[in-house]
Amino acid sequence: MSALLQELLRVSEKAAHIARACRQQEALFQLLIEEKKEGEKNKKFAVDFKTLADVLVQEVVKQNMENKFPGLGEKISGEESNEFTNDLGEKIIVRLCSTEAETAELLGKVLNGNKLASEALANVVHQDVSFTDPILDSLKIDIPQDILGIWVDPIDSTYQYIKGSADIKPIQGIFPSGLQCVTILIGVYDIQTGMPLMGVINQPFVSQDPTTLRWKGQCYWGLSYKGNNIHSLQPIPTRNSSEIPSQRIGNPSLEAAPHGFSAVISTSEKEPIKAALLRVCGDSIFRAAGAGYKSLCVVQGLVDVYIFSEDTTFKWDSCAAHAILKSMGGGMADLKGCLERNPELGLDPPQLVYHVANEGASGVDQWANKGGLLAYRSRNQLETFLSRLIPNLVPHDVNT
């Protein structure tokens, strides 16, 4: 199934090209933004936006995967509706047409007849992009296509993407905001068990050339299936209990936290969690934008855990990183389930699953991670972290 993963890498890079192209001209970019409708909105935000870049990326992923693997396109679900409304009030269904000219004509309707803009976007959408990883050339793992489902978040951290800040400085390697927090997330899961199988995280805006102002990106991937675990990062050594969790291979220059753990959290995290983390992690608590980027910080080894107690992340936010972390020996658990679990029973941490909608929910809430989430890099590390976190929590439900 390396061919599927190779294609996911290629379409993620094509998506990154689209994201960068749409951001290059501010005047053009402002034409591409539309407020989400009821049922599409994340309740975390008073106003929630999508961009034409989001929709184009999602449609490109669907169409490219369907072309290469017939029947797979209908199993791809994403965050964005592909419906846009232009200034005339016309509803346009955005899709990737068979020719560049046809796509340009369709985009012209969305962009109110702006011919130059629509042709430029169509050109990027139809460009052929080659991207591969030599590690995958020798990978021989057969996963039946009929068990696969795919979640796509075409542009995670849309607010940061719209804002477009390029001058944010990192704190110990972690960007609190800015274009670096934007990610493209593609996660493959087993439709029978709900467990993640493959994940690709593309970070389109990693570094900018000071002369040309062009951005370069970075791509991360992982595969975990029937005991086969492989990923694009260097292997992480198994730790024993005497090792300090913050001594990480991802950033060897980062000093170990005096409390032993480090965490990345949302700016909207609730006070009981923040207060407990302060006692567990000390000063090694970092705030950052974007669920995908915060998860990536764990994948990269910049922090030990990403913890979020609210129900405003979704399956498309977590599936890709979950697959990568699983391939590295970690995972992404339901936070509420972890806090309620009796560790003495020896039960595994309750992993997030991706195949079942939330009962009684509607709109995007059907696919919310209702119990929050906890991303981690090893099982032993997670158990130690929870053993320190739980005693420091105020004794009431953090999800209320």
Side-chain angles (χ1 to χ4, degrees):
M1 199 36 66
S2 61
L4 176 63
L5 190 47
Q6 293 272 23
E7 187 64 12
L8 290 174
L9 288 171
R10 193 185 73 81
V11 296
S12 82
E13 188 59 21
K14 190 169 186 177
H17 276 261
I18 295 170
R20 288 189 286 261
C22 287
R23 266 254 51 118
Q24 280 178 347
Q25 300 178 41
E26 187 64 30
L28 163 63
F29 187 68
Q30 293 306 317
L31 296 171
L32 312 183
I33 301 168
E34 181 175 286
E35 186 175 349
K36 291 186 180 182
K37 300 173 178 64
E38 288 302 322
E40 299 176 4
K41 291 183 179 180
N42 185 338
K43 63 187 177 183
K44 180 179 176 181
F45 307 113
V47 179
D48 197 6
F49 291 96
K50 67 179 175 183
T51 71
L52 187 54
D54 290 90
V55 179
L56 281 172
V57 164
Q58 187 166 292
E59 293 307 303
V60 163
V61 172
K62 284 185 178 181
Q63 191 62 56
N64 279 252
M65 295 309 295
E66 175 64 24
N67 290 345
K68 197 75 177 281
F69 301 94
L72 193 58
E74 62 188 26
K75 295 184 175 182
I76 298 176
S77 303
E79 177 181 12
E80 305 300 348
S81 160
N82 64 341
E83 182 182 283
F84 257 80
T85 305
N86 65 15
D87 286 352
L88 297 175
E90 298 172 323
K91 291 182 179 179
I92 315 296
I93 301 299
V94 177
R95 59 188 177 84
L96 182 63
C97 301
S98 56
T99 69
E100 186 176 322
E102 289 173 317
T103 300
E105 184 180 355
L106 178 66
L107 294 177
K109 295 177 183 177
V110 179
L111 299 174
N112 307 302
N114 189 323
K115 194 168 185 292
L116 285 175
S118 58
E119 287 179 351
L121 282 179
N123 179 258
V124 175
V125 167
H126 283 269
Q127 275 182 8
D128 193 29
V129 174
S130 61
F131 187 88
T132 188
D133 191 318
I135 299 174
L136 294 177
D137 291 338
S138 58
L139 187 62
K140 304 297 181 187
I141 298 174
D142 184 33
I143 306 176
Q145 185 175 314
D146 60 0
I147 72 164
L148 303 181
I150 299 178
W151 283 112
V152 177
D153 190 341
I155 295 182
D156 186 60
S157 199
T158 304
Y159 176 74
Q160 298 300 324
Y161 182 61
I162 292 172
K163 193 174 179 184
S165 300
D167 56 354
I168 306 297
K169 301 299 181 187
I171 300 170
Q172 295 192 38
I174 297 169
F175 288 88
S177 59
L179 282 170
Q180 287 88 348
C181 296
V182 173
T183 53
I184 294 161
L185 310 171
I186 307 175
V188 181
Y189 64 96
D190 186 327
I191 61 174
Q192 299 169 338
T193 65
M195 291 308 295
L197 301 173
M198 288 181 254
V200 174
I201 300 177
N202 197 305
Q203 193 181 11
F205 305 96
V206 173
S207 60
Q208 189 177 33
D209 187 297
T211 305
T212 65
L213 299 183
R214 290 185 177 276
W215 284 92
K216 289 184 178 179
Q218 180 69 41
C219 196
Y220 304 84
W221 59 266
L223 181 151
S224 180
Y225 179 68
K226 289 188 174 179
N228 296 289
N229 293 289
I230 184 168
H231 55 83
S232 58
L233 289 87
Q234 290 297 315
I236 298 168
T238 303
R239 300 175 179 150
N240 58 48
S241 58
S242 65
E243 289 178 306
I244 299 173
S246 288
Q247 291 177 331
R248 54 184 64 78
I249 194 170
N251 189 352
S253 65
L254 190 62
E255 292 183 3
H259 290 64
F261 279 94
S262 59
V264 63
I265 63 172
S266 168
T267 52
S268 64
E269 185 54 78
K270 294 177 180 176
E271 287 304 321
I273 292 290
K274 289 196 288 187
L277 282 175
L278 189 62
R279 290 186 280 271
V280 174
C281 301
D283 294 333
S284 295
I285 304 170
F286 305 90
R287 290 164 179 79
Y293 177 68
K294 288 189 280 284
S295 300
L296 180 58
C297 288
V298 182
V299 169
Q300 291 174 310
L302 294 171
V303 291
D304 296 308
V305 297
Y306 160 36
I307 185 169
F308 189 52
S309 63
E310 297 189 39
D311 60 354
T312 52
T313 66
F314 301 87
K315 303 307 179 188
W316 49 77
D317 291 313
S318 55
C319 188
H322 192 170
I324 299 173
L325 287 166
K326 189 164 173 275
S327 74
M328 299 167 75
M332 198 173 289
D334 179 282
L335 176 61
K336 186 178 181 182
C338 284
L339 298 180
E340 295 173 347
R341 180 183 59 127
N342 183 348
E344 294 179 3
L345 296 178
L347 299 175
D348 290 337
Q351 297 295 299
L352 298 183
V353 293
Y354 297 92
H355 63 320
V356 179
N358 294 316
E359 192 174 341
S362 61
V364 296
D365 284 340
Q366 295 178 81
W367 303 108
N369 295 316
K370 282 294 185 182
L373 60 82
L374 180 53
Y376 59 96
R377 300 173 70 230
S378 80
R379 168 74 183 272
N380 289 341
Q381 184 189 48
L382 173 68
E383 299 294 0
T384 304
F385 174 75
L386 287 171
S387 72
R388 298 182 190 180
L389 179 76
I390 292 172
N392 283 295
L393 277 171
V394 177
H396 63 72
D397 188 355
V398 297
N399 288 301
T400 60

